[in-house]
Amino acid sequence: IVIGAFALIVIFVFLFRLITNMSERSVRILTLALFAFIILAFAGILIFFSYISPTKDSHIMLDESVYLAQHPDQVFTADSFYTDYYEIYGNTYFFVFLIRGFISFLNIFGISGYQLALYILNCIMLCLGILFAFMAAKRVLGIRQACFLLLLFAINPVYYGMAIWPYSSSFSIPFMT
């Protein structure tokens, strides 16, 4: 573990020095390449891992949203199946109704692949968060530091894992940057 951590530090220092010594044009090209890598990585995750169904919180939210979209006359009541969950995690009420609206929108066009559509929307929200953070860093710190930030996003495995975990935490990322 210590050797691996040391190797990562050496790689990061090398990459940051490489970016520091690049020309402005090369930094812009690298920025585009990193954005392309991130988008392709999300696409690959959707292609190879979209069969995975979310569990726990994400599943509860999706299940309730689909039910409410298919039964528009239903509302949350004290005897709803997930009432105990929503009493503990009240922040997901709005998210359930947001996803209910998205699923109702899909129903208008006859799209029934809710899970994949939600994964795609989740990836779009994550990419928007990256774009907004990049734009803010570029405006405040300049293109070189924004490229450093983009590199950190590109190599962050947790961010890619969030692609198949649609939940309020990933959908709120564009609004937090």
Side-chain angles (χ1 to χ4, degrees), residues 13-33:
V13 170
F14 171 75
L15 289 173
F16 289 142
R17 284 192 181 172
L18 183 69
I19 293 172
T20 302
N21 295 330
M22 285 181 160
S23 68
E24 184 86 13
R25 184 173 186 268
S26 296
V27 170
R28 291 185 189 279
I29 292 170
L30 178 62
T31 298
L32 291 174

Side-chain angles (χ1 to χ4, degrees), residues 2 12 23 27 44 50 69 73 77 85-86 102 104 112-113 117 127-128 138 144-146 156 159-160 162 165:
V2 174
F12 288 149
S23 68
V27 170
S50 63
D73 57 323
T77 62
Y85 171 79
Y86 291 112
F102 178 67
S104 296
S112 61
C127 287
L128 282 175
K138 182 180 173 191
R144 201 169 302 279
Q145 283 73 21
N156 184 356
Y159 216 69
Y160 298 113
M162 290 175 70
W165 184 261

Side-chain angles (χ1 to χ4, degrees), residues 61-118:
M61 176 274 317
L62 181 59
D63 188 44
E64 187 76 23
S65 299
V66 169
Y67 178 79
L68 290 172
Q70 292 174 345
H71 302 90
D73 57 323
Q74 295 292 319
V75 294
F76 282 119
T77 62
D79 60 344
S80 293
F81 187 71
Y82 296 116
T83 299
D84 294 340
Y85 171 79
Y86 291 112
E87 286 176 354
I88 298 170
Y89 305 106
N91 62 322
T92 56
Y93 276 119
F94 174 73
F95 191 62
V96 166
F97 286 105
L98 184 71
I99 298 305
R100 174 191 178 192
F102 178 67
I103 291 171
S104 296
F105 176 75
L106 293 176
N107 286 336
I108 292 171
F109 297 104
I111 299 171
S112 61
Y114 307 128
Q115 185 172 324
L116 181 59
L118 195 58

